[in-house]
Amino acid sequence: MARVLSGLMVVIVVVLAVVGGRAISAQDKHNVQVSGGLAFSEFRGYESWPVIAISENEGKIAAIVGNPVMIDAYKAGVPGNGKPFPDGAKMAKIHWNPKKQEAYPGQPTVPGTQHDVDFMVKDSKRFADSGGWGWGAFDYDAASDTFTPATLADKPPQGNDAKCGFACHTLVKNRDYVFTEYPTR
């Protein structure tokens, strides 16, 4: 009986060590930061922000979400009313690889594995030289469940600073550098 209990204790210790090791080695995504740019921690809670819009582009499905400051600005008519978004407005664009939902009627295309997440924050003082906005893009690796800053090899290429989105977003300077529209609900 003592031998069985002793063997059981060894199994329990090994299982706890393996599980505990995984928990310790798991990445805290909030510690990831673009060198010289935005940190994931600046967008803590984005997973529960309201949806601004959804999109499909270059074979990826995306949900664009905003913090309460961003949503309130959209509801007040920004940027269509000619006013800029206020400081503190934040957006996240979460991209997924598409997959077919084979068992559902019509076999709709739905989000599969996450591909990446992009962030924008309005801070006129901190990002005065990029239209008042800071950007950050983070690639997701499903196999390791980790995020890393996007690079110049990504599409579109991402520089390693908070201005990585500025070049593209100058196309919508008249919309305070924001592409996403807030559709009627």
Side-chain angles (χ1 to χ4, degrees):
M1 181 73 163
R3 188 176 276 217
V4 171
L5 286 176
S6 178
L8 186 57
M9 291 290 282
V10 169
V11 170
I12 291 172
V13 168
V14 169
V15 168
L16 288 175
V18 169
V19 172
R22 283 188 182 156
I24 290 169
S25 68
Q27 176 195 50
D28 178 359
K29 66 184 177 186
H30 296 102
N31 291 331
V32 180
Q33 179 173 352
V34 172
S35 178
L38 298 179
F40 224 104
S41 61
E42 296 180 61
F43 296 84
R44 192 176 298 272
Y46 77 92
E47 302 91 341
S48 62
W49 290 352
V51 172
I52 296 168
I54 56 171
S55 69
E56 181 277 323
N57 192 11
E58 295 184 6
K60 303 290 181 282
I61 297 172
I64 301 96
V65 298
N67 72 347
V69 175
M70 191 76 179
I71 299 296
D72 289 346
Y74 271 122
K75 288 179 177 178
V78 175
N81 62 8
K83 294 182 181 180
F85 287 94
D87 280 358
K90 295 179 182 182
M91 297 174 72
K93 187 174 190 179
I94 308 148
H95 291 101
W96 292 275
N97 296 305
K99 72 174 186 177
K100 286 280 186 195
Q101 196 63 284
E102 302 291 335
Y104 291 8
Q107 299 178 335
T109 301
V110 298
T113 56
Q114 187 171 352
H115 185 271
D116 63 72
V117 64
D118 305 334
F119 296 127
M120 286 178 67
V121 61
K122 182 72 176 268
D123 186 329
S124 299
K125 291 181 179 125
R126 184 175 169 198
F127 305 113
D129 60 345
S130 58
W133 289 96
W135 287 268
F138 298 88
D139 292 328
Y140 179 70
D141 179 33
S144 63
D145 191 27
T146 58
F147 287 90
T148 55
T151 68
L152 293 173
D154 287 293
K155 292 182 183 180
Q158 300 296 317
N160 288 322
D161 60 26
K163 294 186 275 184
C164 63
F166 187 55
C168 289
H169 285 256
T170 56
L171 295 171
V172 286
K173 182 178 179 180
N174 64 337
R175 294 182 41 79
D176 195 20
Y177 302 94
V178 175
F179 285 109
T180 306
E181 294 182 15
Y182 192 69
T184 303
R185 318 264 157 169

